[in-house]
Amino acid sequence: MGIKLNFELVPESCWYSNLRTALPPEVWDTIRKKAYARANGRCMICSEPTRRLEAHEQWEYDDKNKIQSLSNIIAVCKSCHEVIHIGRTQLMGREDFAIEHYKKVNGATYAEYKKALGEANAIHRERSKHEWQLDASNLNKFLK
């Protein structure tokens, strides 16, 4: 099964720190609007057309050196964003919608959803044991 949509669980020490709140509003607006333009009215994960896109920061994790590096900023639909941030979605009482969307986008069964979520949670638990350094040094590429 090819996974198009996956969970991106951020280590607890990185919660509430994101580019939207760290950057001046006009810089974040430029970045997110460029992502929206690249998406051309479609979610960059599920490809569904939508009038309302949300900007999503994608991060890579160097587990050895504990560095969280910005890898991309994409435009996604609300449904994909809810799957990506499944922990928050569960707290909001919307997991059932996220399960159905995950299954649809990935052609997955409920068992495959649960397995992938278990694996993501295991990685999250391990990463949350540490403090992480933030590396957004390639931010300028999203401003061009």
Side-chain angles (χ1 to χ4, degrees):
M1 172 178 74
I3 300 292
K4 289 173 60 175
L5 174 59
N6 215 338
F7 313 105
E8 297 179 28
L9 305 182
V10 176
E12 289 179 23
S13 68
C14 303
W15 285 2
Y16 310 111
S17 61
N18 56 55
L19 296 179
R20 181 178 46 81
T21 57
L23 295 173
E26 62 277 3
V27 174
W28 176 246
D29 271 354
T30 299
I31 290 170
R32 72 179 179 83
K33 288 176 181 175
K34 287 185 181 289
Y36 299 161
R38 286 193 322 273
N40 198 26
R42 292 185 173 273
C43 175
M44 295 174 84
I45 294 177
C46 72
S47 300
E48 287 294 317
T50 182
R51 286 182 285 150
R52 185 174 185 275
L53 290 164
E54 299 177 0
H56 172 66
E57 303 160 27
Q58 292 183 312
W59 300 92
E60 293 176 351
Y61 295 90
D62 176 343
D63 290 303
K64 180 181 177 194
N65 296 304
K66 308 300 182 256
I67 299 172
Q68 174 191 20
S69 301
L70 180 65
S71 63
N72 204 357
I73 298 170
I74 62 173
V76 297
C77 66
K78 178 181 179 179
S79 297
C80 282
H81 219 182
E82 287 184 331
V83 171
I84 291 166
H85 296 295
I86 192 65
R88 181 180 188 282
T89 301
Q90 289 167 330
L91 290 173
M92 302 298 289
R94 294 189 46 83
E95 184 180 19
D96 289 346
F97 297 101
I99 291 169
E100 291 309 312
H101 191 68
Y102 178 94
K103 288 169 36 183
K104 176 184 164 191
V105 172
N106 292 318
T109 64
Y110 180 73
E112 290 167 327
Y113 166 86
K114 291 301 280 185
K115 181 177 186 249
L117 182 57
E119 290 168 356
N121 279 323
I123 292 168
H124 175 260
R125 278 190 302 277
E126 184 58 35
R127 286 182 176 157
S128 291
K129 293 177 182 176
H130 310 282
E131 292 293 320
W132 290 79
Q133 292 181 327
L134 180 68
D135 175 11
S137 59
N138 62 353
L139 183 62
N140 283 338
K141 81 177 188 180
F142 302 107
L143 290 166
K144 295 178 183 175

